[in-house]
Amino acid sequence: MASVYLKISILITCLIFATAFQLLLPVSEAYYSRSLKVGYYRSKCRTAESIVKSTVRSYVKRNPGLGAGLIRMHFHDCFVRGCDASVLLDPTQANPQPEKLAIPNFPSLRGFEVIDAAKAKLEKKCKGVVSCADILALAARDASYILGNISYKIPTGRLDGRVSNSTEALLNLPPPFFNLTQLVASFARKGLSAAEMVTLSGAHSIGRSHCSSFTSRLYPTIDPTMNQTFGASLRKRCPQNTTNDGVVPQDFVTPDKLDVQYYKNVESLTALFFSDWALLTSGETNKQVETYTKEPEKFKQDFINAMVKMGSIEVLTGSPGEVRGTCRFVN
Ligand code: HEM
Ligand SMILES: *[C@@H]1O[C@H](CO)[C@@H](O)[C@H](O)[C@H]1NC(C)=O
Ligand SMILES: *[C@@H]1O[C@H](CO)[C@@H](O)[C@H](O)[C@H]1NC(C)=O
Ligand SMILES: *[C@@H]1O[C@H](CO)[C@@H](O)[C@H](O)[C@H]1NC(C)=O
Ligand SMILES: *[C@@H]1O[C@H](CO)[C@@H](O)[C@H](O)[C@H]1NC(C)=O
Ligand SMILES: *[C@@H]1O[C@H](CO)[C@@H](O)[C@H](O)[C@H]1NC(C)=O
């Protein structure tokens, strides 16, 4: 009997402590609790957005490919644990397999040095204020303007995550051999529609691909879903049985322009991936591809809306989020 009373009183004591803790939590969290809004840093670090912009500009002018890298990096960040800069974390003894080492990211993901440079300037100016997740979202926005004259406001106020797991990257990032059903499902899991998937795929009008991402379409025979002339020229740039993995532009016509040429390439079967061709395999997505080839302004507007939406996937705005001191390591 006595032991039952003891257990009950221990239980009650625990409950009291747990409640007290809960009351304390909002106080310690308040400092870190944010909400996404356009111009979040205006009052906290007035020049935050212009510092990111000037940094991105200086790197992308020298190497437009880095702009493509930043747009892709933002996508790969947002699809794994939300837009929380988890993709930026380096391997450590405690966490030897972060996202950036996963097959879809390594060694193809690029632009990390741009984020590092912006972060270093921001830490000097406004220590501990601007999150790496926001820097990446702003950098992708600025790259879209430089490469595509696509200009938009993006809400900020994201916090940085403390977890990065390569298996999660592998499970959440769509590979280039996915068919339409699989692509649509992959985007739906992140709250994005088939139409938004088609719109965001337009980013394949810039940057490059490693041969290994599409050689299964070249050998032993050129995939019948690929333009055979195009396939023959790709074979020359991506020979079989070599140890080094070459790269080719995504868009051979306007390689450094974020424009609707991608959709023209999809139609002429001269886009690199099976996943690009797959956009032609339903009436609706096929029609959307065709519309974009004729209405570049519509593509621009849809791209803006889809990027803002992608940038809000599962964002961290409170505990356990933090503002990292350096984007490669948790605090
Ligand atoms: C629809 C599903 C998608 C698949 C299957 C896919 C797959 C790929 C693959 C395999 C590469 C080449 C990587 C390499 O070998 O170097 C690539 C490059 C790229 N992707 Fe995607 N992607 C998809 C969607 C997106 C989205 C939504 C965006 C951004 C909004 C994006 C932006 C890019 C960019 C900019 C590059 C060039 C990167 C560079 O030059 O460094 N992709 N993608
Ligand atoms: C850039 O985009 C704006 C708005 O869409 C447009 O008014 C302007 O003409 C474009 N500039 C160039 C150089 O294409
Ligand atoms: C990474 O994620 C996978 C899949 O969710 C999980 O099985 C694994 O335990 C995680 N690894 C670590 C180190 O947390
Ligand atoms: C897409 O791939 C999945 C998995 O391999 C398969 O079950 C499905 O039938 C495919 N869908 C189409 C339309 O090819
Ligand atoms: C490439 O290697 C494969 C086996 O590894 C072989 O069957 C094929 O004949 C080789 N092709 C060329 C062009 O050397
Ligand atoms: C195949 O690609 C070439 C350019 O590489 C293009 O001129 C031709 O129109 C394309 N063929 C078809 C059927 O779209």
Side-chain angles (χ1 to χ4, degrees), residues 80-192:
V80 188
R81 287 190 170 265
C83 316
D84 68 342
S86 51
V87 74
L88 300 177
L89 291 172
D90 274 356
T92 60
Q93 214 151 33
N95 185 30
Q97 288 296 318
E99 290 172 26
K100 62 161 62 161
L101 297 188
I103 288 168
N105 290 329
F106 188 80
S108 61
L109 212 60
R110 54 178 171 162
F112 296 105
E113 68 272 38
V114 186
I115 303 299
D116 290 339
K119 179 63 171 174
K121 283 183 208 158
L122 287 164
E123 285 302 291
K124 258 191 204 160
K125 195 88 174 190
C126 317
K127 194 172 162 56
V129 174
V130 185
S131 69
C132 298
D134 278 340
I135 296 173
L136 184 48
L138 291 167
R141 184 274 301 268
D142 296 335
S144 304
Y145 178 68
I146 299 167
L147 301 176
N149 186 30
I150 295 176
S151 169
Y152 59 98
K153 294 184 166 67
I154 183 136
T156 45
R158 298 168 189 77
L159 286 169
D160 301 325
R162 295 178 51 83
V163 176
S164 183
N165 174 333
S166 68
T167 310
E168 292 178 351
L170 194 61
L171 292 174
N172 286 284
L173 294 168
F177 49 81
F178 263 14
N179 64 33
L180 185 63
T181 316
Q182 295 169 307
L183 291 169
V184 170
S186 163
F187 277 64
R189 273 205 302 278
K190 303 298 161 183
L192 297 175

Side-chain angles (χ1 to χ4, degrees), residues 207-224:
R208 69 187 186 191
S209 173
H210 289 77
C211 292
S212 56
S213 297
F214 56 84
T215 35
S216 64
R217 301 183 79 202
L218 303 178
Y219 305 104
T221 54
I222 298 172
D223 192 332

Side-chain angles (χ1 to χ4, degrees), residues 212-282:
S212 56
S213 297
F214 56 84
T215 35
S216 64
R217 301 183 79 202
L218 303 178
Y219 305 104
T221 54
I222 298 172
D223 192 332
T225 63
M226 182 183 268
N227 181 314
Q228 298 293 300
T229 316
F230 183 62
S233 73
L234 283 180
R235 277 183 164 191
K236 293 191 184 121
R237 308 214 19 179
C238 299
Q240 224 176 351
N241 302 341
T242 56
T243 45
N244 92 312
D245 193 4
V247 293
V248 303
Q250 296 268 0
D251 171 6
F252 282 77
V253 184
T254 54
D256 295 329
K257 270 210 169 105
L258 179 50
D259 58 10
V260 298
Q261 182 61 45
Y262 165 75
Y263 298 100
K264 299 178 185 171
N265 296 343
V266 169
E267 283 197 331
S268 63
L269 313 186
T270 60
L272 296 176
F273 309 133
F274 179 79
S275 56
D276 297 323
W277 172 79
L279 305 186
L280 300 174
T281 61
S282 86

Side-chain angles (χ1 to χ4, degrees), residues 289-308:
V289 168
E290 188 180 359
T291 300
Y292 284 155
T293 64
K294 296 179 197 149
E295 297 178 33
E297 287 306 316
K298 173 158 177 54
F299 165 68
K300 266 194 191 183
Q301 195 49 59
D302 289 354
F303 189 77
I304 290 169
N305 294 338
M307 284 293 278
V308 169

